[in-house]
Protein backbone atom coordinates (compact mmCIF):
# COMPACT_ATOMS: atom_id res chain seq x y z
CA UNK A 1 0.00 0.00 0.00
CA UNK A 2 1.31 3.40 -0.96
CA UNK A 3 1.17 6.46 1.32
CA UNK A 4 -1.90 8.52 0.39
CA UNK A 5 -0.31 11.63 1.90
CA UNK A 6 2.63 11.37 -0.49
CA UNK A 7 0.33 10.80 -3.46
CA UNK A 8 -1.62 13.90 -2.42
CA UNK A 9 1.58 15.94 -2.20
CA UNK A 10 3.28 14.65 -5.35
CA UNK A 11 0.60 13.45 -7.79
CA UNK A 12 2.72 14.03 -10.90
CA UNK A 13 5.58 11.96 -9.48
CA UNK A 14 3.26 9.00 -8.84
CA UNK A 15 1.62 9.34 -12.25
CA UNK A 16 5.01 9.24 -13.93
CA UNK A 17 6.43 6.37 -11.86
CA UNK A 18 3.34 4.17 -11.89
CA UNK A 19 2.79 4.71 -15.61
CA UNK A 20 5.90 2.54 -16.05
CA UNK A 21 3.94 -0.23 -14.37
CA UNK A 22 0.81 0.14 -16.48
CA UNK A 23 -1.16 2.47 -14.20
CA UNK A 24 -3.10 5.13 -16.11
CA UNK A 25 -2.87 8.77 -14.90
CA UNK A 26 -6.65 8.90 -14.42
CA UNK A 27 -6.36 6.10 -11.84
CA UNK A 28 -4.22 8.42 -9.72
CA UNK A 29 -6.72 11.24 -10.35
CA UNK A 30 -9.52 8.99 -9.05
CA UNK A 31 -7.54 8.25 -5.89
CA UNK A 32 -6.84 11.95 -5.32
CA UNK A 33 -10.52 12.84 -5.91
CA UNK A 34 -11.71 10.18 -3.46
CA UNK A 35 -9.17 11.34 -0.88
CA UNK A 36 -10.29 14.95 -1.31
CA UNK A 37 -13.94 13.97 -0.98
CA UNK A 38 -13.13 11.99 2.17
CA UNK A 39 -11.51 14.97 3.83
CA UNK A 40 -14.40 17.24 2.81
CA UNK A 41 -16.97 14.79 4.19
CA UNK A 42 -15.05 14.46 7.45
CA UNK A 43 -14.90 18.25 7.75
CA UNK A 44 -18.66 18.47 7.21
CA UNK A 45 -19.21 15.79 9.81
CA UNK A 46 -17.02 17.58 12.37
CA UNK A 47 -18.85 20.87 11.71
CA UNK A 48 -22.24 19.24 12.19
CA UNK A 49 -21.10 17.48 15.35
CA UNK A 50 -20.02 20.86 16.75
CA UNK A 51 -23.43 22.29 15.81
CA UNK A 52 -25.16 19.38 17.50
CA UNK A 53 -23.14 19.96 20.65
CA UNK A 54 -24.23 23.59 20.66
CA UNK A 55 -27.86 22.55 20.16
CA UNK A 56 -27.52 20.09 23.05
CA UNK A 57 -26.27 22.92 25.26
CA UNK A 58 -29.33 24.99 24.31
CA UNK A 59 -31.59 22.14 25.39
CA UNK A 60 -29.92 22.09 28.80
CA UNK A 61 -30.11 25.87 29.18
CA UNK A 62 -33.78 25.95 28.14
CA UNK A 63 -34.70 23.27 30.66
CA UNK A 64 -32.80 25.05 33.44
CA UNK A 65 -34.62 28.29 32.63
CA UNK A 66 -37.99 26.59 32.36
CA UNK A 67 -38.24 27.47 28.68
CA UNK A 68 -39.32 25.35 25.70
CA UNK A 69 -36.50 23.24 24.22
CA UNK A 70 -38.53 21.97 21.26
CA UNK A 71 -36.61 23.92 18.62
CA UNK A 72 -33.25 22.82 19.96
CA UNK A 73 -34.41 19.21 20.22
CA UNK A 74 -35.64 19.30 16.62
CA UNK A 75 -32.34 20.80 15.49
CA UNK A 76 -30.39 18.09 17.35
CA UNK A 77 -32.41 15.31 15.73
CA UNK A 78 -32.04 16.79 12.26
CA UNK A 79 -28.31 17.19 12.72
CA UNK A 80 -28.08 13.63 14.00
CA UNK A 81 -29.81 12.33 10.88
CA UNK A 82 -27.51 14.35 8.62
CA UNK A 83 -24.43 13.13 10.52
CA UNK A 84 -25.61 9.53 10.09
CA UNK A 85 -26.03 10.08 6.35
CA UNK A 86 -22.58 11.64 6.13
CA UNK A 87 -21.01 8.77 8.10
CA UNK A 88 -22.53 6.31 5.64
CA UNK A 89 -21.22 8.40 2.75
CA UNK A 90 -17.76 8.49 4.35
CA UNK A 91 -17.84 4.70 4.78
CA UNK A 92 -18.80 4.16 1.12
CA UNK A 93 -16.16 6.63 -0.06
CA UNK A 94 -13.52 4.99 2.15
CA UNK A 95 -14.34 1.58 0.65
CA UNK A 96 -13.86 2.94 -2.87
CA UNK A 97 -10.62 4.71 -1.89
CA UNK A 98 -9.27 1.62 -0.16
CA UNK A 99 -10.07 -0.55 -3.18
CA UNK A 100 -8.34 1.88 -5.56
CA UNK A 101 -5.28 2.11 -3.30
CA UNK A 102 -5.15 -1.69 -2.89
CA UNK A 103 -4.82 -2.10 -6.66
CA UNK A 104 -1.91 0.35 -7.07
CA UNK A 105 1.51 -1.39 -7.36
CA UNK A 106 4.66 -0.30 -5.59
CA UNK A 107 6.76 2.56 -6.95
CA UNK A 108 9.80 1.28 -8.91
CA UNK A 109 13.19 2.19 -7.52
CA UNK A 110 15.31 4.66 -9.42
CA UNK A 111 17.35 2.83 -12.04
CA UNK A 112 14.94 -0.07 -12.56
CA UNK A 113 14.75 -0.63 -16.36
CA UNK A 114 11.54 0.84 -17.74
CA UNK A 115 9.36 -1.44 -19.85
CA UNK A 116 5.77 -2.68 -19.66
CA UNK A 117 6.97 -6.15 -20.71
CA UNK A 118 9.84 -8.41 -19.66
CA UNK A 119 11.91 -7.13 -22.56
CA UNK A 120 14.62 -4.75 -21.41
CA UNK A 121 15.77 -6.55 -18.28
CA UNK A 122 19.40 -5.71 -17.46
CA UNK A 123 21.95 -8.48 -16.96
CA UNK A 124 24.09 -7.73 -13.91
CA UNK A 125 26.44 -10.70 -14.11
CA UNK A 126 26.90 -14.14 -15.58
CA UNK A 127 28.35 -16.86 -13.34
CA UNK A 128 29.67 -20.34 -14.12
CA UNK A 129 30.68 -22.06 -17.33
CA UNK A 130 28.04 -23.42 -19.65
CA UNK A 131 28.88 -27.07 -20.31
CA UNK A 132 29.69 -28.11 -23.86
CA UNK A 133 28.11 -31.50 -24.53
CA UNK A 134 29.55 -34.03 -26.97
CA UNK A 135 26.03 -35.46 -27.34
CA UNK A 136 22.56 -33.95 -27.73
CA UNK A 137 21.43 -32.97 -24.19
CA UNK A 138 17.98 -34.24 -23.21
CA UNK A 139 15.20 -32.34 -21.48
CA UNK A 140 14.90 -33.00 -17.75
CA UNK A 141 11.49 -34.61 -18.14
CA UNK A 142 12.87 -37.15 -20.62
CA UNK A 143 15.82 -37.85 -18.32
CA UNK A 144 13.54 -38.28 -15.30
CA UNK A 145 11.03 -40.47 -17.09
CA UNK A 146 13.73 -42.67 -18.63
CA UNK A 147 15.29 -43.20 -15.20
CA UNK A 148 11.85 -43.75 -13.66
CA UNK A 149 12.34 -41.02 -11.04
CA UNK A 150 9.67 -38.65 -12.43
CA UNK A 151 6.16 -39.90 -13.22
CA UNK A 152 3.94 -37.28 -14.82
CA UNK A 153 1.46 -39.74 -16.33
CA UNK A 154 0.35 -41.29 -13.05
CA UNK A 155 0.26 -37.86 -11.39
CA UNK A 156 -2.04 -36.79 -14.22
CA UNK A 157 -4.26 -39.76 -13.48
CA UNK A 158 -4.40 -39.00 -9.78
CA UNK A 159 -4.48 -35.18 -9.84
CA UNK A 160 -4.36 -33.76 -13.35
CA UNK A 161 -1.94 -31.80 -15.49
CA UNK A 162 1.04 -29.97 -13.91
CA UNK A 163 1.55 -32.50 -11.13
CA UNK A 164 4.31 -35.10 -10.70
CA UNK A 165 5.38 -38.09 -8.64
CA UNK A 166 9.05 -38.12 -7.56
CA UNK A 167 10.24 -41.69 -7.02
CA UNK A 168 13.29 -43.30 -5.41
CA UNK A 169 16.47 -41.32 -5.94
CA UNK A 170 14.41 -38.59 -7.60
CA UNK A 171 12.58 -37.99 -4.32
CA UNK A 172 15.88 -38.20 -2.45
CA UNK A 173 17.44 -35.65 -4.80
CA UNK A 174 14.59 -33.21 -4.21
CA UNK A 175 14.99 -33.71 -0.45
CA UNK A 176 18.77 -33.35 -0.67
CA UNK A 177 18.42 -30.06 -2.54
CA UNK A 178 16.05 -28.41 -0.07
CA UNK A 179 17.91 -29.69 2.99
CA UNK A 180 21.13 -28.28 1.55
CA UNK A 181 19.39 -24.95 0.88
CA UNK A 182 18.04 -24.72 4.42
CA UNK A 183 21.42 -25.57 5.95
CA UNK A 184 23.14 -22.91 3.85
CA UNK A 185 20.58 -20.24 4.73
CA UNK A 186 20.85 -21.03 8.43
CA UNK A 187 24.61 -20.66 8.12
CA UNK A 188 23.93 -17.23 6.63
CA UNK A 189 21.96 -16.20 9.72
CA UNK A 190 18.38 -17.13 8.84
CA UNK A 191 16.11 -18.77 11.40
CA UNK A 192 14.29 -21.80 10.03
CA UNK A 193 10.50 -21.73 10.34
CA UNK A 194 7.77 -24.26 9.56
CA UNK A 195 4.77 -22.00 8.91
CA UNK A 196 1.09 -22.76 8.20
CA UNK A 197 0.39 -23.81 4.63
CA UNK A 198 -3.12 -22.34 4.69
CA UNK A 199 -3.70 -18.65 5.45
CA UNK A 200 -6.61 -16.24 5.76
CA UNK A 201 -7.58 -13.39 3.44
CA UNK A 202 -6.00 -10.77 5.71
CA UNK A 203 -2.64 -12.47 5.24
CA UNK A 204 -3.07 -12.64 1.47
CA UNK A 205 -3.96 -8.95 1.48
CA UNK A 206 -0.96 -8.11 3.67
CA UNK A 207 1.59 -9.41 1.17
CA UNK A 208 -0.31 -8.06 -1.85
CA UNK A 209 -1.81 -11.20 -3.40
CA UNK A 210 -5.34 -9.99 -2.58
CA UNK A 211 -7.43 -8.41 -3.93
CA UNK A 212 -5.76 -8.22 -7.35
CA UNK A 213 -4.49 -11.79 -7.85
CA UNK A 214 -7.22 -14.03 -6.46
CA UNK A 215 -7.46 -15.97 -9.71
CA UNK A 216 -3.91 -17.26 -9.24
CA UNK A 217 -4.50 -19.19 -6.00
CA UNK A 218 -6.50 -22.09 -4.59
CA UNK A 219 -9.14 -21.15 -2.03
CA UNK A 220 -11.15 -23.44 0.23
CA UNK A 221 -14.80 -23.13 -0.77
CA UNK A 222 -16.98 -21.46 1.83
CA UNK A 223 -14.08 -20.67 4.18
CA UNK A 224 -11.61 -17.85 4.70
CA UNK A 225 -8.71 -20.15 3.81
CA UNK A 226 -6.21 -20.08 0.96
CA UNK A 227 -3.43 -22.54 0.13
CA UNK A 228 -0.21 -20.55 0.13
CA UNK A 229 1.25 -19.63 -3.28
CA UNK A 230 4.61 -19.04 -1.54
CA UNK A 231 6.02 -19.11 2.00
CA UNK A 232 6.44 -15.36 1.64
CA UNK A 233 2.82 -15.02 2.79
CA UNK A 234 2.97 -16.72 6.22
CA UNK A 235 6.56 -15.57 6.87
CA UNK A 236 5.93 -11.89 6.10
CA UNK A 237 2.62 -11.85 8.00
CA UNK A 238 4.24 -13.23 11.15
CA UNK A 239 4.50 -9.72 12.62
CA UNK A 240 1.28 -8.35 11.11
CA UNK A 241 -0.28 -5.72 13.37
CA UNK A 242 2.76 -5.68 15.67
CA UNK A 243 5.62 -3.41 16.65
CA UNK A 244 8.88 -5.33 16.25
CA UNK A 245 11.37 -4.60 19.05
CA UNK A 246 14.07 -2.46 17.47
CA UNK A 247 16.87 -4.55 18.94
CA UNK A 248 15.59 -7.60 16.99
CA UNK A 249 16.04 -5.94 13.59
CA UNK A 250 17.01 -7.12 11.07
CA UNK A 251 15.00 -10.34 11.26
CA UNK A 252 15.98 -13.13 8.82
CA UNK A 253 13.68 -16.16 8.42
CA UNK A 254 13.62 -19.07 5.96
CA UNK A 255 11.19 -21.89 5.31
CA UNK A 256 10.62 -24.87 3.07
CA UNK A 257 6.97 -25.19 2.05
CA UNK A 258 4.87 -26.64 -0.70
CA UNK A 259 3.45 -23.87 -2.89
CA UNK A 260 0.12 -24.04 -4.71
CA UNK A 261 -0.69 -21.99 -7.81
CA UNK A 262 -3.52 -22.29 -10.30
CA UNK A 263 -1.25 -20.93 -13.07
CA UNK A 264 -4.20 -18.99 -14.46
CA UNK A 265 -3.27 -17.61 -17.85
CA UNK A 266 -0.43 -20.12 -18.31
CA UNK A 267 -2.25 -22.35 -20.81
CA UNK A 268 0.21 -23.70 -23.36
CA UNK A 269 3.28 -22.51 -21.43
CA UNK A 270 5.74 -25.07 -20.00
CA UNK A 271 3.21 -27.86 -20.22
CA UNK A 272 5.94 -30.47 -19.74
CA UNK A 273 8.41 -30.87 -16.92
CA UNK A 274 8.98 -29.24 -13.55
CA UNK A 275 9.10 -25.56 -14.53
CA UNK A 276 5.46 -24.58 -14.07
CA UNK A 277 3.57 -26.79 -11.62
CA UNK A 278 0.36 -26.46 -9.61
CA UNK A 279 2.23 -27.83 -6.57
CA UNK A 280 5.95 -27.44 -5.96
CA UNK A 281 8.44 -27.08 -3.13
CA UNK A 282 10.27 -23.82 -2.54
CA UNK A 283 12.69 -22.56 0.08
CA UNK A 284 11.89 -18.92 0.83
CA UNK A 285 13.91 -16.16 2.48
CA UNK A 286 12.21 -13.17 4.16
CA UNK A 287 13.73 -10.16 5.90
CA UNK A 288 12.38 -7.36 8.08
CA UNK A 289 14.76 -4.40 8.18
CA UNK A 290 15.06 -0.73 9.03
CA UNK A 291 14.51 1.48 5.96
CA UNK A 292 18.11 2.73 5.82
CA UNK A 293 19.42 -0.84 5.50
CA UNK A 294 17.01 -2.43 3.06
CA UNK A 295 18.99 -1.89 -0.17
CA UNK A 296 22.11 -3.45 1.34
CA UNK A 297 19.95 -6.31 2.58
CA UNK A 298 18.64 -6.90 -0.95
CA UNK A 299 22.16 -7.41 -2.22
CA UNK A 300 22.93 -9.76 0.67
CA UNK A 301 19.76 -11.77 0.00
CA UNK A 302 20.63 -12.06 -3.68
CA UNK A 303 24.10 -13.27 -2.68
CA UNK A 304 22.50 -15.85 -0.35
CA UNK A 305 20.51 -17.27 -3.26
CA UNK A 306 23.56 -17.21 -5.56
CA UNK A 307 25.57 -19.10 -2.94
CA UNK A 308 23.34 -22.15 -3.46
CA UNK A 309 23.89 -22.20 -7.22
CA UNK A 310 27.62 -21.63 -6.95
CA UNK A 311 28.07 -24.53 -4.53
CA UNK A 312 25.90 -26.89 -6.58
CA UNK A 313 27.85 -25.82 -9.66
CA UNK A 314 25.00 -24.61 -11.88
CA UNK A 315 25.63 -21.82 -14.43
CA UNK A 316 23.32 -18.85 -14.05
CA UNK A 317 22.98 -15.14 -14.56
CA UNK A 318 21.47 -12.34 -12.49
CA UNK A 319 19.16 -9.77 -14.05
CA UNK A 320 17.24 -6.74 -12.82
CA UNK A 321 13.63 -7.06 -13.91
CA UNK A 322 11.79 -4.31 -15.75
CA UNK A 323 9.12 -2.12 -14.17
CA UNK A 324 6.41 -4.13 -15.90
CA UNK A 325 7.78 -7.57 -15.10
CA UNK A 326 8.53 -7.42 -11.38
CA UNK A 327 5.94 -8.37 -8.80
CA UNK A 328 3.13 -6.05 -7.73
CA UNK A 329 4.71 -5.41 -4.32
CA UNK A 330 8.34 -4.99 -5.38
CA UNK A 331 10.27 -1.77 -5.82
CA UNK A 332 13.21 -3.63 -7.36
CA UNK A 333 13.78 -7.29 -8.18
CA UNK A 334 16.87 -9.30 -9.01
CA UNK A 335 16.10 -12.57 -10.79
CA UNK A 336 18.47 -15.54 -10.82
CA UNK A 337 18.05 -17.62 -13.95
CA UNK A 338 19.56 -21.11 -14.39
CA UNK A 339 21.03 -22.36 -17.64
CA UNK A 340 18.90 -25.18 -19.11
CA UNK A 341 20.98 -26.97 -21.81
CA UNK A 342 18.10 -28.71 -23.61
CA UNK A 343 16.18 -25.43 -23.91
CA UNK A 344 19.39 -23.55 -24.68
CA UNK A 345 18.34 -20.65 -22.46
CA UNK A 346 18.16 -19.37 -18.90
CA UNK A 347 15.07 -20.01 -16.74
CA UNK A 348 14.10 -18.26 -13.52
CA UNK A 349 14.82 -20.03 -10.25
CA UNK A 350 14.72 -17.09 -7.81
CA UNK A 351 13.34 -13.58 -7.48
CA UNK A 352 14.81 -11.40 -4.72
CA UNK A 353 12.80 -8.25 -4.07
CA UNK A 354 12.84 -5.18 -1.85
CA UNK A 355 9.24 -4.18 -1.12
CA UNK A 356 10.21 -1.13 0.99
CA UNK A 357 7.29 -0.28 3.34
CA UNK A 358 4.63 -1.35 0.80
CA UNK A 359 3.70 -4.61 2.56
CA UNK A 360 4.33 -3.20 6.04
CA UNK A 361 1.67 -0.53 5.46
CA UNK A 362 -0.84 -3.17 4.43
CA UNK A 363 0.07 -5.31 7.46
CA UNK A 364 0.67 -2.38 9.83
CA UNK A 365 4.05 -3.76 10.89
CA UNK A 366 6.26 -1.19 12.61
CA UNK A 367 9.25 -0.53 14.85
CA UNK A 368 10.38 2.46 16.94
CA UNK A 369 13.22 4.62 15.66
CA UNK A 370 15.96 6.20 17.81
CA UNK A 371 13.48 8.91 18.84
CA UNK A 372 10.86 6.41 19.90
CA UNK A 373 8.63 7.28 16.93
CA UNK A 374 6.76 4.48 15.17
CA UNK A 375 8.00 3.77 11.65
CA UNK A 376 7.12 1.10 9.10
CA UNK A 377 9.69 -1.65 8.57
CA UNK A 378 10.90 -2.62 5.12
CA UNK A 379 10.25 -6.19 3.98
CA UNK A 380 12.23 -8.27 1.50
CA UNK A 381 11.63 -11.71 0.07
CA UNK A 382 13.49 -14.10 -2.18
CA UNK A 383 13.37 -17.68 -3.39
CA UNK A 384 16.25 -19.60 -1.98
CA UNK A 385 15.44 -21.51 -4.28
CA UNK A 386 12.54 -23.00 -6.23
CA UNK A 387 13.42 -26.63 -5.55
CA UNK A 388 11.85 -28.36 -8.56
CA UNK A 389 13.48 -25.96 -11.00
CA UNK A 390 16.83 -26.54 -9.32
CA UNK A 391 16.35 -30.32 -9.65
CA UNK A 392 15.43 -29.84 -13.32
CA UNK A 393 18.66 -27.89 -13.89
CA UNK A 394 20.71 -30.57 -12.10
CA UNK A 395 19.22 -33.31 -14.29
CA UNK A 396 20.02 -31.37 -17.46
CA UNK A 397 23.44 -29.98 -16.55
CA UNK A 398 24.74 -33.16 -14.91
CA UNK A 399 23.32 -35.69 -17.40
CA UNK A 400 25.52 -38.30 -19.02
CA UNK A 401 25.29 -39.79 -22.50
CA UNK A 402 24.12 -43.16 -21.12
CA UNK A 403 21.10 -41.49 -19.49
CA UNK A 404 22.51 -41.45 -15.96
CA UNK A 405 22.87 -38.29 -13.87
CA UNK A 406 25.92 -37.45 -11.75
CA UNK A 407 25.12 -36.03 -8.32
CA UNK A 408 26.78 -32.65 -7.62
CA UNK A 409 29.54 -33.23 -5.09
CA UNK A 410 28.04 -30.92 -2.46
CA UNK A 411 24.81 -32.98 -2.46
CA UNK A 412 26.41 -36.43 -2.15
CA UNK A 413 26.36 -36.39 1.70
CA UNK A 414 22.62 -35.59 1.53
CA UNK A 415 22.16 -38.55 -0.84
CA UNK A 416 23.74 -41.01 1.64
CA UNK A 417 26.82 -41.36 -0.54
CA UNK A 418 25.08 -41.97 -3.88
CA UNK A 419 27.17 -40.31 -6.58
CA UNK A 420 25.13 -41.18 -9.66
CA UNK A 421 21.52 -41.96 -10.54
CA UNK A 422 21.25 -44.86 -12.97
CA UNK A 423 18.43 -47.12 -14.12
CA UNK A 424 19.89 -49.81 -11.87
CA UNK A 425 19.67 -47.82 -8.61
CA UNK A 426 17.02 -45.16 -9.36
CA UNK A 427 13.88 -46.83 -7.96
CA UNK A 428 14.52 -49.70 -5.51
CA UNK A 429 11.22 -51.54 -5.88
CA UNK A 430 11.62 -51.67 -9.66
CA UNK A 431 15.25 -52.76 -9.33
CA UNK A 432 14.12 -55.56 -7.00
CA UNK A 433 11.46 -56.69 -9.43
CA UNK A 434 13.98 -56.82 -12.26
CA UNK A 435 16.43 -59.01 -10.37
Amino acid sequence: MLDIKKIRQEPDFYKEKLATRGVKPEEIDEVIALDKKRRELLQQTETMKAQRNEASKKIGEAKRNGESADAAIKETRELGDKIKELDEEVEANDAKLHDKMAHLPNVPHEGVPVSLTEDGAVELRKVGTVRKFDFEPKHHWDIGENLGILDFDRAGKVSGARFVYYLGLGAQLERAVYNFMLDEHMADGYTEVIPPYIVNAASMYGTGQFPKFKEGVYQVNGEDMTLIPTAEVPLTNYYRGEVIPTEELPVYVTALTPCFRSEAGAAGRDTRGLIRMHQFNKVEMVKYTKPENSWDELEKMTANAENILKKIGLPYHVITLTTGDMSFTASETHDLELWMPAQNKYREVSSCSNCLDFQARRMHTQYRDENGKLQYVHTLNGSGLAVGRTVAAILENYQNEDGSVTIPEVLVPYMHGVTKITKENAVPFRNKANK
Side-chain angles (χ1 to χ4, degrees):
M1 183 75 74
L2 299 175
D3 187 344
I4 185 61
K5 293 180 182 178
K6 291 183 178 179
I7 294 177
R8 188 190 307 150
Q9 293 165 356
E10 301 179 86
D12 291 339
F13 169 82
Y14 282 89
K15 288 179 182 180
E16 178 185 352
K17 283 291 189 179
L18 295 184
T20 67
R21 307 206 64 181
V23 177
K24 298 177 181 178
E26 50 266 34
E27 293 180 66
I28 304 299
D29 289 333
E30 289 174 2
V31 165
I32 292 171
L34 288 167
D35 174 58
K36 181 180 178 182
K37 185 177 180 181
R38 179 181 188 275
R39 288 180 290 120
E40 289 173 349
L41 289 171
L42 289 174
Q43 182 60 48
Q44 291 178 39
T45 301
E46 291 303 313
T47 299
M48 287 188 180
K49 286 180 179 179
Q51 292 173 349
R52 186 174 60 180
N53 289 339
E54 287 299 317
S56 296
K57 290 179 183 179
K58 291 178 183 178
I59 294 172
E61 290 175 0
K63 288 182 177 180
R64 283 194 298 272
N65 297 330
E67 299 171 350
S68 173
D70 291 349
I73 292 172
K74 181 182 178 183
E75 182 183 6
T76 301
R77 288 175 178 169
E78 289 175 350
L79 285 167
D81 291 340
K82 290 179 181 178
I83 290 170
K84 183 179 178 182
E85 290 175 6
L86 281 173
D87 284 342
E88 291 173 353
E89 195 173 349
V90 168
E91 185 176 347
N93 188 82
D94 280 354
K96 291 180 182 177
L97 176 59
H98 185 273
D99 183 65
K100 294 289 184 184
M101 290 289 292
H103 282 80
L104 292 179
N106 204 350
V107 173
H109 186 52
E110 184 179 351
V112 171
V114 176
S115 173
L116 293 180
T117 69
E118 63 184 26
D119 296 331
V122 175
E123 185 178 73
L124 300 178
R125 53 190 167 273
K126 194 173 286 182
V127 181
T129 302
V130 172
R131 177 182 171 189
K132 293 181 179 180
F133 289 83
D134 53 10
F135 61 93
E136 186 70 24
K138 294 183 175 64
H139 289 281
H140 67 273
W141 55 83
D142 289 329
I143 299 168
E145 288 175 334
N146 289 337
L147 287 171
I149 59 176
L150 298 178
D151 194 332
F152 294 96
D153 291 339
R154 287 189 175 90
K157 174 185 67 176
V158 172
S159 299
R162 300 187 190 274
F163 288 93
V164 66
Y165 277 102
Y166 288 85
L167 299 172
L169 291 182
Q172 289 183 48
L173 178 60
E174 173 101 353
R175 179 157 53 92
V177 167
Y178 62 64
N179 280 334
F180 171 69
M181 291 175 180
L182 289 170
D183 286 348
E184 288 297 308
H185 293 328
M186 285 189 288
D188 286 330
Y190 292 81
T191 297
E192 184 179 0
V193 178
I194 300 178
Y197 301 158
I198 300 177
V199 297
N200 55 33
S203 296
M204 294 293 284
Y205 171 81
T207 43
Q209 280 78 16
F210 284 3
K212 193 170 184 178
F213 303 103
K214 282 190 176 183
E215 74 282 355
V217 299
Y218 289 109
Q219 294 183 269
V220 180
N221 288 336
E223 297 188 47
D224 179 15
M225 303 177 77
T226 299
L227 297 176
I228 60 171
T230 166
E232 172 197 345
V233 181
L235 291 180
T236 309
N237 276 277
Y238 182 78
Y239 285 112
R240 190 177 79 229
E242 297 185 34
V243 176
I244 303 175
T246 306
E247 62 272 14
E248 292 184 8
L249 294 173
V251 174
Y252 293 8
V253 287
T254 187
L256 161 74
T257 67
C259 303
F260 305 91
R261 299 183 185 179
S262 69
E263 291 297 341
R269 297 175 59 193
D270 299 309
T271 55
R272 299 197 66 185
L274 301 171
I275 299 299
R276 198 177 299 276
M277 309 291 286
H278 289 313
Q279 174 191 319
F280 59 94
N281 290 321
K282 181 156 68 80
V283 174
E284 187 75 4
M285 301 175 288
V286 163
K287 294 183 177 184
Y288 304 82
T289 77
K290 294 180 181 179
E292 61 266 26
N293 300 326
S294 65
W295 291 113
D296 286 339
E297 293 293 353
L298 175 62
E299 298 309 314
K300 291 178 184 178
M301 177 178 279
T302 305
N304 297 150
E306 288 187 72
N307 170 60
I308 303 297
L309 299 180
K310 288 176 180 177
K311 289 191 174 181
I312 293 178
L314 293 170
Y316 68 94
H317 71 167
V318 183
I319 61 175
T320 299
L321 296 186
T322 65
T323 52
D325 194 33
M326 62 185 178
S327 73
F328 176 79
T329 59
S331 181
E332 182 170 316
T333 298
H334 297 325
D335 260 17
L336 278 61
E337 295 186 333
L338 285 167
W339 179 252
M340 303 296 286
Q343 296 184 40
N344 196 37
K345 63 180 179 180
Y346 290 100
R347 298 303 303 266
E348 177 204 339
V349 72
S350 174
S351 289
C352 297
S353 301
N354 186 354
C355 299
L356 304 179
D357 62 0
F358 189 86
Q359 292 177 323
R361 286 181 178 278
R362 296 169 80 100
M363 298 182 300
H364 210 70
T365 303
Q366 300 174 297
Y367 76 103
R368 292 190 183 277
D369 63 19
E370 61 275 10
N371 298 315
K373 186 178 180 181
L374 286 173
Q375 304 286 355
Y376 288 106
V377 297
H378 282 192
T379 60
L380 300 91
N381 63 79
S383 312
L385 307 159
V387 182
R389 293 188 178 196
T390 307
V391 169
I394 291 171
L395 295 179
E396 291 198 15
N397 284 278
Y398 281 89
Q399 64 180 293
N400 302 306
E401 190 171 9
D402 64 359
S404 64
V405 175
T406 301
I407 302 298
E409 185 177 348
V410 74
L411 296 180
V412 170
Y414 293 87
M415 294 288 291
H416 304 289
V418 174
T419 60
K420 185 182 289 188
I421 302 176
T422 67
K423 281 192 174 182
E424 289 69 37
N425 69 358
V427 184
F429 68 77
R430 287 182 180 149
N431 300 340
K432 182 180 178 181
N434 292 332
K435 286 182 179 179

